[in-house]
């Protein structure tokens, strides 16, 4: 089934629920061992999609009993997939990032000679178990939505599997049991954790890509529809900023890109920002989104100028880029672009 054929209601449902950090690669070739695929913001912005209790997902029995359209089923699938991604994904990355922070060599694992042992953050079962159930249910509903149905199931199963290693390991370090067994369990479980991490990180990347593909198509459909009926509205120009920012992200995350093409995209975004400033939306404060868009534009320009002028990061910046907790503060970095982009995504979602 082609997402481009869905009506505006479905497109809007997908777009408004998009809260996850849409990212690409980290700053070109910066070596961050286990966090190289992680979301590149210190805090991943969330929206009301994940703050309120979701309605119970559709089941095959409910679909048979009620007159539920294919569009409504697709909307339910996407709401479940995105909400669960928002709730679960960043917590796994934060957990493993914490674990890696006190290890001298992540591949080798704990040696027993560490001066500081932080352990590893546990994963919240109350988030994982319901999402596992819901995703398994909605993925079976017709019509299918591939490849995201399969990607979602593989992803949540990988989360369940890695949690079975992380949570007992978290308790082990919390209780300082490594002092009783000379890190024997820590060393054994480290091997299991690396194995589960390989599966999870690959599933996370595939799942994120599948969500983005559906969302990109939905945004373009929505933008084309709005261009016909509301081409000069704030909503149209705001969505245009989001669509073009995504295109710019894909360009500038490459090892090599055309500076001229990138600056042309920045100019298009600037035109849309200027247009939003001319619009007044009754009952809605749009200033925060506009400010976030300008911050994103500045961060993108800083990166493009750094590439254009052949400016390398200094040693201090390179050290900052080693951690997801500080990388987003480095001017001219892709991590800073992503941080400002994610902030803009959050402010855009608050408008809807």
């Amino acid at each position: 089934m082609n997402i481009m054929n869905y009506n505006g209601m479905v497109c809007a449902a997908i777009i408004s629920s998009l809260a996850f950090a849409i990212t690409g690669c980290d700053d070109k070739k910066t070596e961050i061992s286990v966090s190289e695929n992680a979301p590149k913001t210190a805090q991943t912005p969330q929206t009301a999609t994940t703050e309120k209790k979701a309605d119970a997902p559709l089941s095959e029995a409910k679909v048979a009993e009620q007159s539920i359209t294919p569009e409504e089923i697709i909307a339910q699938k996407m709401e479940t997939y995105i909400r669960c991604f928002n709730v679960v994904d960043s917590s796994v990355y934060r957990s493993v990032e914490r674990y890696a922070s006190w290890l001298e060599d992540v591949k080798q694992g704990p040696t027993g000679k560490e001066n500081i042992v932080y352990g590893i953050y546990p994963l919240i079962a109350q988030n994982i178990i319901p999402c596992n159930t819901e995703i398994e249910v909605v993925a079976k509903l017709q019509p299918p939505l591939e490849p995201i149905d399969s990607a979602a199931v593989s992803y949540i199963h990988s989360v369940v599997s890695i949690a079975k290693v992380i949570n007992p390991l978290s308790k082990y370090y919390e209780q300082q049991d490594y002092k009783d067994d000379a890190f024997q369990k820590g060393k054994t479980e480290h091997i299991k954790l690396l194995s589960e991490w390989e599966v999870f990180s690959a599933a996370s990347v595939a799942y994120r890509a599948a969500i983005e593909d559906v969302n990109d198509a939905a945004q373009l459909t929505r933008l084309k529809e709005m261009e016909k009926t509301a081409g000069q509205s704030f909503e149209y120009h705001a969505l245009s900023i989001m669509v073009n920012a995504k295109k710019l992200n894909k360009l500038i995350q490459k090892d090599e890109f055309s500076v001229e093409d990138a600056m042309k995209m920045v100019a298009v975004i600037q035109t849309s920002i200027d247009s939003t400033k001319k619009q007044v939306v009754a009952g809605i404060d749009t200033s925060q989104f506009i400010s976030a868009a300008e911050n994103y534009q500045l961060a993108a320009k800083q990166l493009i100028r750094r590439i254009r002028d052949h400016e390398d990061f200094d040693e201090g910046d390179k050290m900052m880029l080693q951690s997801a907790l500080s990388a987003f503060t480095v001017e001219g970095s892709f991590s800073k672009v992503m941080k400002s982009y994610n902030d803009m995504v959050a402010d855009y979602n608050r408008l809807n």
Side-chain angles (χ1 to χ4, degrees):
M1 182 168 288
N2 191 338
I3 189 68
M4 299 298 287
N5 294 329
Y6 298 153
N7 61 27
M9 180 275 290
V10 177
C11 294
I14 296 172
I15 293 167
S16 65
S17 61
L18 181 71
F20 65 93
I22 307 174
T23 69
C25 302
D26 200 356
D27 283 289
K28 323 284 191 300
K29 310 312 176 190
T30 299
E31 291 186 7
I32 304 179
S33 51
V34 294
S35 61
E36 58 187 0
N37 292 323
K40 302 303 182 286
T41 58
Q43 292 99 18
T44 302
Q46 302 291 329
T47 66
T49 305
T50 58
E51 292 170 355
K52 65 182 181 179
K53 185 176 181 181
D55 294 333
L58 295 172
S59 64
E60 292 178 288
K62 285 184 179 179
V63 171
E65 292 174 4
Q66 304 173 23
S67 179
I68 299 176
T69 66
E71 289 81 7
E72 290 172 328
I73 292 173
I74 295 299
Q76 174 72 70
K77 286 189 175 193
M78 290 308 302
E79 190 282 328
T80 301
Y81 293 158
I82 294 172
R83 172 170 46 80
C84 285
F85 186 90
N86 288 339
V87 168
V88 172
D89 198 70
S90 61
S91 64
V92 180
Y93 281 105
R94 280 196 298 267
S95 177
V96 178
E97 178 79 15
R98 174 70 167 181
Y99 179 67
S101 69
W102 58 274
L103 295 175
E104 185 174 344
D105 186 329
V106 175
K107 291 184 179 180
Q108 179 182 352
T111 64
K113 299 178 181 180
E114 289 79 11
N115 294 324
I116 298 175
V117 178
Y118 289 131
I120 186 168
Y121 293 141
L123 302 179
I124 302 174
Q126 291 90 333
N127 290 336
I128 298 172
I129 295 173
C131 278
N132 184 49
T133 301
E134 292 177 32
I135 286 176
E136 287 183 342
V137 168
V138 299
K140 296 176 183 177
L141 298 179
Q142 298 297 319
L145 186 62
E146 294 294 355
I148 195 169
D149 286 338
S150 298
V153 172
S154 296
Y155 170 78
I156 198 62
H157 287 176
S158 75
V159 173
V160 171
S161 188
I162 198 171
K164 291 178 180 178
V165 177
I166 287 178
N167 287 351
L169 193 58
S170 176
K171 197 69 175 178
Y172 170 80
Y173 284 111
E174 179 186 332
Q175 294 295 314
Q176 300 182 358
D177 291 339
Y178 54 87
K179 293 182 178 180
D180 302 325
D181 69 353
F183 277 91
Q184 182 176 348
K185 180 177 179 179
K187 294 175 182 179
T188 302
E189 293 302 302
H190 175 79
I191 297 172
K192 296 179 183 178
L193 179 59
L194 285 188
S195 177
E196 293 295 344
W197 170 256
E198 290 296 324
V199 175
F200 165 79
S201 58
S204 175
V205 170
Y207 190 29
R208 179 187 296 271
I211 292 175
E212 288 186 24
D213 286 345
V214 174
N215 181 71
D216 289 351
Q219 284 189 329
L220 288 173
T221 298
R222 179 70 171 158
L223 192 63
K224 289 177 181 178
E225 290 175 350
M226 291 175 63
E227 190 172 17
K228 299 174 184 177
T229 59
Q232 295 304 314
S233 67
F234 174 88
E235 185 181 2
Y236 171 80
H237 290 299
L239 181 56
S240 178
I241 291 170
M242 303 307 297
V243 169
N244 286 303
K246 182 66 177 296
K247 292 179 181 178
L248 180 58
N249 290 344
K250 288 184 176 180
L251 175 63
I252 64 178
Q253 76 179 26
K254 298 177 181 178
D255 289 331
E256 295 182 4
F257 62 86
S258 168
V259 168
E260 182 180 359
D261 289 346
M263 280 300 192
K264 286 179 180 178
M265 290 186 183
V266 169
V268 170
I269 293 171
Q270 180 63 62
T271 299
S272 294
I273 291 174
D274 292 341
S275 296
T276 60
K277 292 179 179 179
K278 298 175 184 178
Q279 307 296 326
V280 177
V281 182
I284 298 178
D285 180 7
T286 61
S287 62
Q288 190 169 341
F289 169 74
I290 293 173
S291 176
E294 291 179 326
N295 289 339
Y296 164 77
Q297 183 187 34
L298 174 60
K301 282 197 257 188
Q302 289 171 338
L303 183 151
I304 297 166
R305 289 167 182 154
R306 179 177 63 79
I307 299 299
R308 180 195 64 193
D309 301 337
H310 305 288
E311 294 180 359
D312 196 7
F313 295 113
D314 61 31
E315 291 304 313
D317 286 341
K318 289 178 181 178
M319 288 184 64
M320 299 284 279
L321 289 169
Q322 291 295 319
S323 172
L325 299 177
S326 58
F328 70 92
T329 66
V330 179
E331 185 174 308
S333 69
F334 190 67
S335 291
K336 184 168 184 178
V337 175
M338 286 294 94
K339 174 62 166 65
S340 60
Y341 176 71
N342 292 335
D343 289 345
M344 182 173 66
V345 169
D347 286 324
Y348 176 79
N349 285 335
R350 292 187 188 102
L351 296 172
N352 296 285

